[in-house]
Amino acid sequence: MCGIVGYVGNKEALPILLEGLKRLEYRGYDSAGVAFIPSGGKIGVERAVGKVAELEKKIAGMQDSGFVGIGHTRWATHGIPKEENAHPHRDCKNNIAVVHNGIIENYQELKNALCARGHVFRSETDTEVIAHLLEEESASLPLEDRLARVAPKLIGTYGLAVLDARSPEKIVAMRLGSPLVLGLKDDEYFIASDPAAFISHTRDVLYLDDREIVALTPQGIQIFEGGVQKKKEVQTLEWDVMKIEKQGFPHFMLKEIHEQPKVIEDVLRGRIDSKEGLAHLGGLRDVEKKLREAKRLIIVGCGSAFYAGSIGKYMLEEYAGIAVDCELASEFRYRNPVFNEGTIVLAVSQSGETADTLAAVHEAKHKGILTLGMVNVVGSTIARETDAGIYTHAGPEIGVASTKAFVSQVAAFALLTLFLGRQRNMTSVMGRHIIDELAALPEKIRIILSQQKDIEKIARKYADVKNFLYIGRKYNAPIALEAALKMKEVSYIHAEGYPAGEMKHGPIALLDSSFPVIAFAPQDSVYEKMKSAIAEIKARQAPVLVITTEGNTEFSQGVDDVIFVPKTIEMLEPISNIIPLQLLAYFIAVAKGLDPDQPRNLAKAVTVE
Ligand code: G6P
C-alpha cells in the first residue's frame, strides 16, 4: 500500500528518496512522487504514474535538489492512478507539500468548505485537503504547530509528512492509525512508513505513536504530543539490508520460499525444551496465569494470517483442549462479539499494521479483553498495542503474497499449542513428539524444495488454465484455501479453495475436463475420505494433481500429476504441504510473464479499511 519516505541531512536528498521509494516498491503501488527544496527555496515536485523507475527518468540529471525532501508511492483510493493524483500534493501557493498514507474520511466536507473559501484543488484525492488546511494556518507559527491545529479537523487515518518552503530545513510528520518510523544517523534523519526505506543507512529507529508530531531538521528531531515535547527510546533493528535484497534469486517470492527451512529454525530457536516437551515463549511470560485460566481464544486476522489462524484453531482444539474461534478481522470489528469471562483475543499479522486486524484489537481492548499478538514485524503497531505476544521471526517479507511469514505463523501456532497444551492436559511424551516433528521440518522442507524443477514442469502444463479447485480436509482444509489464495494472487487464475467434504455441495458442478483440481491427500486420518473425493473428481474427467506422502504408490495411476512430501504429524502437514503449492503458483505466474512480487492491485500491508 502507500509508502512514505523523507530525509533531512547533509546529503543530496533526491537519490536517497529514490532509493527509499524503490525499497518500498514491494508494498504495492501505482504511482510515485517526490518533493524537495532546492537552494532557491521553492518547492520542487515531480510525479509519475507507474514504477519508481518512471519517476527516476523524470528527475535524471537534476542537480542541486537540496538536502531535504519527501517521497511517496501511492496505491489509489480516491481518484484513478494519474499524475495529478500522485503525491506530494500542494496548497494553492505551492509553499506546502504533503504526502499521506491512509484515508481522510471527511475530505469531501472539508474540500467543499475550502473551495467555498477560494481554494483551488488540483487532484481528486482526499490528501490534498491537508495541504490547503495548512495553508490557512498562520505562517508565523512553526510548521509543527500548524499541523497540530489542522489534525483535529481530520477524521480518518493518516501517516503524513509535510514540507514548507518557508522552513526549508524541516520535515514535519504525524500519525494516526498509519505507521511512521524515524531513522537516526549522526546528523541525518529519515522518516518512513516502513524502515525498509532507510535500512541501508541506519538501523537505529524510533517508532511514532498515534497523535505524535515530529519535526526533523539537520539539528535533530523533536517529538510532541498535545503540544508537549517528549522523549522516546531509540531501538536498533535486528535485520539488515541483505535481508531485503534478492541475493541471486530472480524474485523475492522465490527467495522467500527457499528461506523457509531457516524460518522454521528461527521460529523455534531458544523456544523449545526437548527434555520436558515444553515451549518457552518469553513474550507470554507476563500473562501466563491468565492463559492458564483462559476458556476461549478468538483468533483474528486477514488474508493468509487468517488461514494460519484457522490451522491454529485445529491444533489448539486438538492438543490444548481450548475452545477456539478464528475470525476475519474485517467482520469481527463490526459484529458485536460476545466475550465471556476468560476470553482472549489473538491477532495474527505479518506486518502488524493491517487496519482491520488492528481495529479488532482495539475493539477487544475496549471491552476489557486480554489481547495477544502473533506478529512478524518487531515494533509494529499490533505488536505494541497488544498486551503480550509471540514474534514469528520470519525476517522481512518483501513478496506481496505471503509465503515464509505464513509458514512462520503456522509454526508459531504449533509452539502456542505446546505452550497452552502443556499448561493443560498434554503429556510430556506428546510434547516431546511434537517438538521432534517440528525440529525435523526444516530438512523435510529442503527435500520438497529440491523438487523445484518437477514442480516447474507441472506449472508450465497448467499455466493456461482458467480455473483451479483446491480441496483438502481437516488440517489441509485451510491449506486448500491458502494455496488457492496464492494462485489467484500471483497468477490471476481463478482458484477456489474448499474443504473437500463440501465439494458435493456445489463446487463439483463446476468440474469438467478443463477444470483442474488440486487435492491434498497425505496418508493421515482423513486419507480414505480424500481418496473417495479424488475418485469422484476423476469420474467427472477433471484433471487432478495430488499432494501425498512420500512413498505412497496408490496414485501411480488414475491421476494426472503427483507431488510427494515427506511424512510428518497431521498438525504439521500444512507447513510441508503449502510449499509445493507456493512454488506452483510462483512458476505459473512466471510462465505467464507476470511479476509475482508485485501482483496488480494488491498491497503488502493493507493499512486502510
Ligand atoms: C495483504 C497481503 C497478504 C496478507 C494480508 C494480511 O492482503 O497481501 O499477504 O496475508 O494482507 O496481512 P498481515 O500483515 O496482517 O499479515
Side-chain angles (χ1 to χ4, degrees):
M1 207 147 256
C2 302
I4 289 177
V5 59
Y7 172 80
V8 292
N10 47 23
K11 299 201 177 83
E12 190 86 3
L14 269 187
I16 294 173
L17 295 179
L18 278 178
E19 186 203 336
L21 291 178
K22 284 187 188 159
R23 299 233 185 252
L24 294 178
E25 286 193 295
Y26 78 96
R27 296 173 66 97
Y29 70 105
D30 45 57
S31 46
V34 284
F36 45 94
I37 309 182
S39 52
K42 272 198 161 31
I43 283 197
V45 168
E46 289 295 342
R47 300 175 293 185
V49 173
K51 297 279 175 194
V52 175
E54 298 303 316
L55 176 67
E56 195 170 17
K57 277 187 215 152
K58 280 191 144 178
I59 53 186
M62 191 179 282
Q63 283 178 358
D64 188 26
S65 63
F67 304 103
V68 55
I70 51 178
H72 191 262
T73 47
R74 173 175 188 252
W75 187 87
T77 58
H78 296 70
I80 59 162
K82 60 176 183 176
E83 195 173 318
E84 292 78 5
N85 287 336
H87 301 209
H89 291 288
R90 279 162 291 176
D91 63 327
C92 300
K93 302 193 185 95
N94 287 338
N95 284 323
I96 291 163
V98 179
V99 291
H100 163 227
N101 291 356
I103 290 179
I104 305 302
E105 287 167 10
N106 61 335
Y107 87 99
Q108 195 60 56
E109 200 183 311
L110 293 168
K111 187 170 176 174
N112 294 346
L114 284 158
C115 289
R117 295 198 290 272
H119 290 264
V120 178
F121 279 71
R122 289 175 270 186
S123 78
E124 299 149 70
T125 66
D126 52 335
T127 302
E128 196 180 339
V129 296
I130 304 167
H132 293 280
L133 287 171
L134 284 166
E135 182 184 357
E136 292 196 331
E137 299 296 326
S138 161
S140 63
L141 288 174
L143 186 55
E144 54 273 27
D145 291 1
R146 280 181 267 158
L147 184 57
R149 288 166 65 99
V150 165
K153 299 177 186 160
L154 306 174
I155 298 174
T157 54
Y158 45 86
L160 54 91
V162 187
L163 283 187
D164 186 331
R166 294 158 296 185
S167 41
E169 286 206 311
K170 191 188 272 186
I171 299 174
V172 166
M174 181 177 189
R175 71 160 273 174
L176 182 70
S178 189
L180 281 179
V181 55
L182 296 161
L184 297 79
K185 183 193 178 195
D186 306 323
D187 33 18
E188 292 178 275
Y189 299 93
F190 304 81
I191 180 120
S193 47
D194 174 338
F198 56 66
I199 196 74
S200 62
H201 301 277
T202 180
R203 288 194 289 153
D204 290 337
V205 303
L206 209 154
Y207 288 92
L208 278 196
D209 284 306
D210 279 348
R211 296 191 175 77
E212 287 176 349
I213 294 183
V214 61
L216 300 86
T217 66
Q219 288 74 47
I221 52 170
Q222 289 177 301
I223 299 173
F224 305 91
E225 190 179 0
V228 181
Q229 198 173 336
K230 62 195 272 195
K231 283 232 161 311
K232 294 195 78 163
E233 216 163 291
V234 176
Q235 302 173 29
T236 303
L237 289 180
E238 279 171 21
W239 43 283
D240 57 34
V241 75
M242 288 284 282
K243 293 208 173 131
I244 54 168
E245 287 181 346
K246 287 186 200 145
Q247 295 174 313
F249 283 92
H251 296 100
F252 282 110
M253 184 174 176
L254 189 61
K255 175 191 169 221
E256 288 161 0
I257 291 172
H258 278 266
E259 279 173 355
Q260 293 177 115
K262 166 119 191 338
V263 165
I264 301 291
E265 287 159 5
D266 290 344
V267 183
L268 302 184
R269 183 160 299 120
R271 287 169 156 179
I272 47 180
D273 176 342
S274 317
K275 214 166 130 239
E276 301 296 328
L278 288 171
H280 297 296
L281 295 170
L284 299 184
R285 203 170 294 136
D286 293 348
V287 294
E288 230 174 302
K289 188 165 170 287
K290 284 190 182 156
L291 291 178
R292 194 182 297 278
E293 288 157 7
K295 296 199 171 52
R296 179 170 162 237
L297 189 66
I298 305 178
I299 301 169
V300 291
C302 302
S304 297
F306 168 73
Y307 295 137
S310 309
I311 296 161
K313 170 182 158 72
Y314 282 69
M315 290 183 186
L316 287 158
E317 286 182 345
E318 181 164 5
Y319 290 100
I322 181 166
V324 184
D325 296 309
C326 182
E327 305 218 21
L328 287 166
S330 52
E331 286 301 308
F332 178 86
R333 63 181 295 187
Y334 288 118
R335 288 192 5 247
N336 191 9
V338 178
F339 301 118
N340 300 321
E341 216 189 306
T343 300
I344 291 175
V345 166
L346 166 63
V348 186
S349 175
Q350 185 286 128
S351 61
E353 303 292 352
T354 301
D356 285 323
T357 312
L358 181 60
V361 169
H362 288 159
E363 182 58 23
K365 284 179 86 161
H366 180 69
K367 302 257 165 74
I369 296 296
L370 181 75
T371 56
L372 307 179
M374 182 183 283
V375 171
N376 187 35
V377 178
V378 176
S380 56
T381 310
I382 294 174
R384 285 180 292 132
E385 295 206 2
T386 42
D387 299 303
I390 309 169
Y391 278 120
T392 54
H393 295 313
E397 187 178 65
I398 308 294
V400 164
S402 186
T403 53
K404 65 172 183 170
F406 169 78
V407 155
S408 73
Q409 288 160 353
V410 179
F413 269 113
L415 289 177
L416 184 64
T417 302
L418 268 176
F419 186 92
L420 295 180
R422 293 288 281 120
Q423 277 187 336
R424 292 169 166 76
N425 282 338
M426 189 191 289
T427 62
S428 60
V429 175
M430 179 53 80
R432 280 199 292 270
H433 180 51
I434 294 174
I435 286 176
D436 288 348
E437 289 290 339
L438 269 169
L441 271 180
E443 202 37 49
K444 291 179 183 174
I445 299 175
R446 286 189 186 100
I447 292 170
I448 299 167
L449 292 172
S450 71
Q451 300 172 51
Q452 180 169 305
K453 283 253 158 317
D454 301 327
I455 297 169
E456 193 176 350
K457 259 191 224 143
I458 299 175
R460 273 193 240 115
K461 184 167 148 188
Y462 289 105
D464 294 324
V465 303
K466 299 274 173 287
N467 304 286
F468 273 116
L469 177 66
Y470 288 69
I471 55 164
R473 273 196 103 138
K474 205 172 170 187
Y475 284 100
N476 288 301
I479 275 298
L481 275 70
E482 166 62 12
L485 177 66
K486 279 310 90 131
M487 185 60 78
K488 61 188 137 201
E489 280 178 311
V490 300
S491 75
Y492 315 149
I493 293 175
H494 166 241
E496 269 197 69
Y498 248 85
E502 279 290 296
M503 199 181 65
K504 289 210 257 317
H505 300 290
I508 199 162
L510 299 168
L511 301 185
D512 61 23
S513 59
S514 69
F515 204 127
V517 179
I518 297 181
F520 294 92
Q523 289 172 307
D524 58 14
S525 66
V526 286
Y527 177 59
E528 293 302 326
K529 310 273 171 218
M530 285 305 299
K531 266 176 38 186
S532 311
I534 291 166
E536 286 158 13
I537 297 162
K538 279 316 301 175
R540 272 85 196 166
Q541 274 100 45
V544 181
L545 161 59
V546 175
I547 317 300
T548 192
T549 312
E550 206 170 37
N552 181 10
T553 52
E554 289 199 283
F555 294 110
S556 47
Q557 279 175 354
V559 300
D560 300 76
D561 294 283
V562 186
I563 298 175
F564 292 101
V565 295
K567 182 144 190 77
T568 182
I569 47 170
E570 223 169 270
M571 70 178 265
L572 299 180
E573 279 172 2
I575 294 184
S576 38
N577 286 349
I578 192 63
I579 314 263
L581 277 304
Q582 294 169 341
L583 285 170
L584 187 77
Y586 170 79
F587 282 117
I588 288 187
V590 172
K592 292 179 77 177
L594 303 172
D595 177 358
D597 284 344
Q598 289 169 40
R600 67 182 179 203
N601 304 338
L602 295 180
K604 183 69 188 154
V606 180
T607 47
V608 297
E609 230 188 299

